[in-house]
Amino acid sequence: MIPASFDYVAPTSVDEVVSTLAEHGDDAKVLAGGHSLLPLMKLRFAVPAMVVDIGRVEELRGVRDAGDHLAIGAGTTHHEIVHDPLVRQHCGLLAEATSMVGDAQVRHRGTIGGATAHGDSAGDLPAVVSALEGTFVAQGPGGRREIAAADFFQGYLETALAADEVLVEVRIPKHDGWGFAYEKFNRVAQAWAIVGVAALVRRENGSVAEARIGLTNMGAVPVRATASEEALAGADRTEDAIRAACQHAADGTSPPADLSAQPDYRQHLARVLSARAVARATG
Ligand SMILES: Cc1cc2nc3c(=O)[nH]c(=O)nc-3n(C[C@H](O)[C@H](O)[C@H](O)COP(=O)(O)OP(=O)(O)OC[C@H]3O[C@@H](n4cnc5c(N)ncnc54)[C@H](O)[C@@H]3O)c2cc1C
């Protein structure tokens, strides 16, 4: 359980991070909170020759009001996000779901950038950022580019980030007035979701005008429950209507089988948790 030897740098600017990544290519790895990277290095599933610690890059920290969206620095910790007044006011779903990540120790070290750049669809935040239709901002040697959440997650532990790019910011559109809920089913001993559901609902005149449902751990990438989203658009805000629409929450999904659950049980959980989350988001 001892990582292979590696070199270590701790730059203080994004430009320095990018030039180090460009110099070392696939041999370099960004280190944020280290909660996913270090276990992989100890198991020697990741063997970077150069570790680039972004913990001292101040410009990667904090939450900024950018008009119609919040710009969240990739190095902002889960704890900072949970307690940030802007996030709580404009993107309540993100605050609620992040408060359910791991335990206090994990939330003090782990970052939104690490939790999404890692590309693990069992993590809570990829499905949440997908439901919120966020945008990722990456910086590489050629400058900055924006990547929509729908294009960012490409496969299990695979994202659209290139080896010489650092994730600098996650942009979350403000969802003022939307109802929201994050529901997850997990073992008591740990907080990793067997299945999680992020629901957002825009209400109008007693019915559901628009609903978005992001599913955690229901495939290699975060999945949107599009059949249920379509069934909910214009539906009554009644328990029966919500339950009927959420019967389709697992349509088209291919969830994993592991020690915690088989695919059919995960699909059952997706339907049940979707109905709960949408009912709560509908208010
Ligand atoms: C005990 C435990 C329980 C946990 N429980 C949960 C849980 O319930 N739900 C949940 O969602 N997560 C959980 N996690 C994971 C937690 O959310 C981690 O914080 C997250 O997986 C990784 O974030 P990090 O900042 O530690 O990233 P790191 O481990 O430092 O990095 C992870 C990966 O992302 C890359 N990376 C990091 N930042 C950037 C960047 N800015 N640009 C480019 N690449 C980058 C790294 O190179 C690495 O490949 C748990 C972790 C532990 C240890």
Side-chain angles (χ1 to χ4, degrees), residues 8-43:
Y8 169 91
V9 287
T12 53
S13 73
V14 171
D15 287 346
E16 283 174 81
V17 173
V18 170
S19 61
T20 311
L21 293 177
E23 186 185 338
H24 294 273
D26 281 340
D27 289 334
K29 267 282 182 199
V30 169
L31 172 74
H35 272 41
S36 295
L37 181 60
L38 292 185
L40 288 180
M41 288 171 62
K42 287 182 172 185
L43 292 166

Side-chain angles (χ1 to χ4, degrees), residues 29-30 32-37 78 102 106 110-111 114-115 123-124 167 184 191-192:
K29 267 282 182 199
V30 169
H35 272 41
S36 295
L37 181 60
H78 301 318
V106 171
T111 64
D124 297 298
L167 179 63
K184 72 173 170 178
W192 285 105

Side-chain angles (χ1 to χ4, degrees), residues 8 16 19 25 31 33 47 62 131 135 153 156 176 206 236-237 272 281 283:
Y8 169 91
E16 283 174 81
S19 61
L31 172 74
V47 200
T135 301
F153 300 103
Y156 181 62
D176 298 353
D236 290 339
R237 285 163 57 184
V272 172

Side-chain angles (χ1 to χ4, degrees), residues 70-74 112-113 116 129 134-137 167-172:
L70 298 183
I72 305 178
I112 187 168
T116 48
V129 177
T135 301
F136 295 89
V137 182
L167 179 63
V168 289
E169 197 169 276
V170 184
R171 293 183 181 160
I172 306 287

